[in-house]
Amino acid sequence: AQKVTQAQTEISVVEKEDVTLDCVYETRDTTYYLFWYKQPPSGELVFLIRRNSFDEQNEISGRYSWNFQKSTSSFNFTITASQVVDSAVYFCALRRGNTGKLIFGQGTTLQVKP
Amino acid sequence: NAGVTQTPKFQVLKTGQSMTLQCAQDMNHEYMSWYRQDPGMGLRLIHYSVGAGITDQGEVPNGYNVSRSTTEDFPLRLLSAAPSQTSVYFCASSYSNLGLVPGELFFGEGSRLTVL
């Protein structure tokens, strides 16, 4: 069975702090895809990143970085020097290679205080 | 570009009423899906489709029906609404599936449904 766990329900930081959002997944597939989405207070869902199971290279995009470790089945997301605009709910998701099903974690609500 | 369009954005129903949430995409995406979002539950997959004429169940399909007669449209039907179906519903689509490298999901703006 597939499962995505985001153990942190809510995180509160002060602006300019670094923050890491954890994501642990379960799957028996050898080919799968991991995603992060952001949901700001306005409610829309915004795609942040996709990572393939055969590519463990970490990625950095501006203040965002992602650490993918197959050995621990984790795909963690770090925001460096957080800003108030980063306040949102962040979802980690898992998609099997041979189906279209995308399964989401419960989400982590990040509050960045000025 | 319209992207993924959901209607209506808000709806109030009485228990037992039926309704259809409409979803249309203009990106020629093969894959379409419906999710519901509830506090503390994340987004849960209701039904999905990998192409016209093909649908399958997700995590929480009970009480919902879908059909996919065209590539563009993927309506979600509630045949007899229940208070437990009060939620925010999202339709999403992507450009590839079934072993190909899947594209990211494009989401509609959501439909807030209240069942009294």
Side-chain angles (χ1 to χ4, degrees), chain B residues 35-38 42-44 46 64 84-89:
Chain B
Y35 290 86
R36 60 177 289 174
Q37 183 177 16
D38 304 290
L43 289 111
R44 292 181 292 170
I46 304 172
Y64 307 95
S84 60
Q85 294 178 304
T86 293
S87 187
V88 179
Y89 292 84

Side-chain angles (χ1 to χ4, degrees), chain A residues 34-53:
Chain A
L34 296 163
F35 297 78
W36 276 95
Y37 283 84
K38 173 183 179 179
Q39 187 177 41
S42 53
E44 74 272 22
L45 285 145
V46 179
F47 166 78
L48 295 178
I49 190 173
R50 174 186 61 230
R51 176 61 68 211
N52 309 322
S53 58

